[in-house]
Amino acid sequence: MKKRTDSKGRKLKEGESQRKDGRYQFCYTDSEGKQKVLYSWKLTSQDKVPTGKKDGKCLRELELEIAKENSTTVDFTKRTISECIEKFLAIRMDYSINTRASYETCLRLHIKPAFIGNLLLIEVTKSDILKFYSYLSKEKKLSSSVINNNHTLLNWVFQTAIKDGIIKKNPCTGCLRGYQMKTSRRTALTVQEQHMLLEFLKNGSNYYSKYYDLIAVLLGTGLRVGEFMGLTWDEIDLEKSCINLRHQLIYDDRSDKRTYAISSLKNGTPRVIPLCSTLVKIFQRRLEHYVAEGPTINGVNGFIFLNNAKRLYQRRVLNGIFHKIVVKFNETHTDITLPHISAHVFRHTFCTRIIELNMDLKAVQEIMGHSNAKVTLDVYTHLNQEVLNSEVHRVKLIDLGE
C-alpha cells in the first residue's frame, strides 16, 4: 500500500499534511481538548522556503515544542485511575478526534462515576476490573461493545504503567472473557434492491429524488461516511475519471465541543477510487452548477455535498435521511421490501459488487482503504445469497480424476 507522502515523496506522520500551495500543517489536540493547527513552509530544517515567503521554524521543530509543553510526567503512585486517564489523554496528540471522543465518553459516563475511577492505579486488582465489567453489564445494562471500549482504555493505561516500571502485571488481562463482541454479518443490498432504490430516487416527482446523487456516489465509490461528507472538488479528477481521496471530515459532537475538523484518512494513506461513467456525469453536472460557497474547515473548502442551508452534513442526519427513504420506499412497493440502510450499508454494498466482478483482492483492499487484505477477507468476502445460488453449480465441475 502506498504511504502518505509530501510533494518530495517524504512520508508524513499522523496529523501532518501538505496543502495545495505547498505549505505544511500539523493538526493536534491541546491539553484542553481543543483542535489546533501548526503551519510552516518547511517540513524539516533542511528545506528551503519558497521565494517571497517568510522563513521560520520547520514543522517538525514546532511539533517537538508542542510535545515538550504537554509531556508532564505522570506520577502513578499518587493518582487515581480517572486522573491517570485524563493526564494521558492530555499528552497524547496522535489520537483521532473519534478515538479521543470515545475515550472521553468512557471516562465521563462510566469510569469516573463508578468505584473504580477513585482507586489508585497501583491498588487496582483483577477482582476490581471483573467487578467493574460486571457492574457495566448487569447494573447499567451496557452492550459488549461499550464494555470493550472501557476495557481498551483501562488496558492502555495499565500497559503504559508497566512500561514505566510502576507495576509488573496488568490487572485487565483475561478479564474481558464473556464480554467479547459478537461479530454480526453485515448485509449488502442485492443487485435488485440497489437497482429499485435508484429507480425510486430517479423519479422526479418523488420528494427524495434530490438525494439521488448523494446515494449514487455512496453506492458507486464505497466511501466511508466521513470521507463522503468531507469530499471536495480538488479531490475530483474528471479527466482521469477518479477521486484522489486525501482527507475526511470529522464531527466532534461531545457536549462541550460540537465542531468539525479535517483529518487524515483512517489508515493515514490517500487512495484513488475509479469513477464509473454515471458518476462522472453526476460530478460534471454538479460542477456546472457549482457556486463557491459553504464553510472552510482547517483551510479546506469546496465541499461537494452540502444540505439546503449550504452546511455540512452529519452522520446521524444522513442515516436519518436513509431511514426515511426506506420507509417511504416500502410504503409504495409491494413486490420488494428494503432492509434497514445506513451509510455503511452502501459502503458494504459497493465492496460486494466489485467482489462479484471478480476484482483482484489486493485491488479491492486499495480501493476500500483497508489496512490489510485480511480485513477485506474477514469482513467482506461472504457473498449474498443471490450470488451464492447462481454459483453453486460450479461444484459439479470439480475433476476427481475419473
Side-chain angles (χ1 to χ4, degrees):
M1 182 179 290
K2 296 181 180 178
K3 301 293 184 183
R4 191 162 58 91
T5 59
D6 66 0
S7 58
K8 297 180 180 180
R10 295 176 295 188
K11 182 180 177 182
L12 297 176
K13 300 178 181 179
E14 178 68 28
E16 294 178 344
S17 60
Q18 188 175 25
R19 296 159 58 90
K20 291 179 65 176
D21 60 5
R23 188 164 50 155
Y24 293 93
Q25 67 179 31
F26 175 68
C27 301
Y28 70 98
T29 304
D30 67 12
S31 59
E32 297 180 354
K34 297 180 180 179
Q35 287 293 308
K36 298 290 183 67
V37 184
L38 300 174
Y39 297 98
S40 177
W41 290 105
K42 301 185 296 183
L43 179 63
T44 68
S45 57
Q46 287 75 34
D47 291 345
K48 293 182 179 180
V49 176
T51 304
K53 303 299 181 182
K54 186 178 180 180
D55 196 0
K57 294 181 179 179
C58 69
L59 192 70
R60 296 279 168 81
E61 289 175 327
L62 296 174
E63 291 175 32
L64 285 175
E65 290 180 356
I66 294 298
K68 289 179 180 179
E69 290 178 5
N70 293 325
S71 62
T72 306
T73 301
V74 179
D75 185 353
F76 287 102
T77 63
K78 298 180 181 179
R79 293 185 182 272
T80 64
I81 289 290
S82 296
E83 291 171 335
C84 288
I85 293 174
E86 289 177 337
K87 199 65 178 178
F88 273 107
L89 287 176
I91 64 179
R92 285 293 294 265
M93 297 189 296
D94 56 337
Y95 284 140
S96 69
I97 294 175
N98 283 348
T99 299
R100 184 177 295 277
S102 175
Y103 284 166
E104 290 181 357
T105 298
C106 288
L107 175 63
R108 184 179 70 255
L109 298 182
H110 311 310
I111 297 176
K112 265 191 173 182
F115 71 95
I116 198 167
N118 295 317
L119 296 178
L120 293 179
L121 183 139
I122 59 173
E123 296 178 344
V124 177
T125 65
K126 185 179 290 290
S127 296
D128 293 324
I129 300 296
L130 288 171
K131 182 180 177 182
F132 175 58
Y133 292 171
S134 177
Y135 159 75
L136 295 180
S137 175
K138 296 179 180 179
E139 294 189 34
K140 298 199 71 174
K141 308 295 183 183
L142 298 177
S143 65
S144 295
S145 62
V146 175
I147 296 174
N148 270 258
N149 288 342
N150 280 272
H151 172 79
T152 300
L153 180 55
L154 290 170
N155 186 66
W156 163 58
V157 172
F158 287 116
Q159 283 299 115
T160 303
I162 290 174
K163 291 178 181 179
D164 286 354
I166 305 300
I167 58 178
K168 294 182 178 180
K169 293 183 179 180
N170 186 341
C172 288
T173 303
C175 291
L176 199 58
R177 294 192 184 97
Y179 301 103
Q180 283 86 352
M181 291 181 290
K182 296 181 180 178
T183 303
S184 58
R185 173 165 288 192
R186 301 180 183 183
T187 303
L189 298 178
T190 65
V191 173
Q192 181 187 20
E193 289 170 343
Q194 178 177 329
H195 174 75
M196 293 193 68
L197 172 61
L198 291 174
E199 287 300 313
F200 171 71
L201 294 172
K202 284 181 182 178
N203 186 347
S205 62
N206 188 328
Y207 170 79
Y208 295 105
S209 295
K210 61 183 178 180
Y211 297 114
Y212 169 77
D213 288 1
L214 187 154
I215 290 178
V217 169
L218 286 169
L219 279 170
T221 62
L223 291 171
R224 295 183 176 93
V225 64
E227 297 166 348
F228 170 81
M229 295 187 300
L231 194 63
T232 53
W233 282 112
D234 62 356
E235 294 178 296
I236 307 296
D237 189 334
L238 293 177
E239 290 186 4
K240 295 183 179 179
S241 300
C242 67
I243 297 175
N244 296 305
L245 198 65
R246 293 187 288 269
H247 60 249
Q248 64 177 326
L249 182 72
I250 301 296
Y251 181 66
D252 186 351
D253 60 355
R254 286 170 286 179
S255 58
D256 58 336
K257 298 187 181 298
R258 300 185 181 279
T259 57
Y260 290 98
I262 293 295
S263 171
S264 58
L265 299 180
K266 184 174 181 179
N267 294 312
T269 306
R271 66 183 193 272
V272 178
I273 302 175
L275 296 174
C276 66
S277 58
T278 299
L279 292 189
V280 170
K281 291 177 183 178
I282 287 176
F283 283 119
Q284 285 175 334
R285 172 167 46 79
R286 296 184 73 93
L287 183 59
E288 290 173 359
H289 297 89
Y290 171 68
V291 178
E293 56 186 350
T296 296
I297 309 295
N298 297 140
V300 175
N301 51 31
F303 295 97
I304 299 175
F305 293 98
L306 301 171
N307 61 25
N308 291 336
K310 302 303 178 184
R311 295 176 180 173
L312 294 163
Y313 280 107
Q314 297 174 24
R315 180 193 304 264
R316 62 178 180 80
V317 173
L318 285 175
N319 286 331
I321 291 171
F322 303 150
H323 172 73
K324 292 178 181 178
I325 290 175
V326 168
V327 170
K328 187 64 177 180
F329 179 95
N330 290 339
E331 287 177 353
T332 56
H333 290 73
T334 58
D335 52 340
I336 187 173
T337 300
L338 290 180
H340 168 73
I341 291 178
S342 65
H344 198 83
V345 168
F346 292 133
R347 174 171 165 81
H348 182 39
T349 299
F350 169 77
C351 190
T352 301
R353 292 292 94 85
I354 60 178
I355 288 175
E356 291 168 355
L357 294 172
N358 294 318
M359 183 175 289
D360 177 77
L361 182 61
K362 186 65 176 177
V364 175
Q365 175 199 339
E366 292 283 350
I367 292 173
M368 297 301 296
H370 294 152
S371 56
N372 54 63
K374 186 177 184 300
V375 176
T376 311
L377 281 170
D378 288 347
V379 182
Y380 291 105
T381 52
H382 59 272
L383 297 176
N384 59 43
Q385 194 64 41
E386 177 184 337
V387 175
L388 182 61
N389 291 339
S390 67
E391 293 294 317
V392 293
H393 71 279
R394 295 180 181 272
V395 174
K396 300 177 182 178
L397 302 178
I398 296 176
D399 185 358
L400 297 180
E402 293 185 4

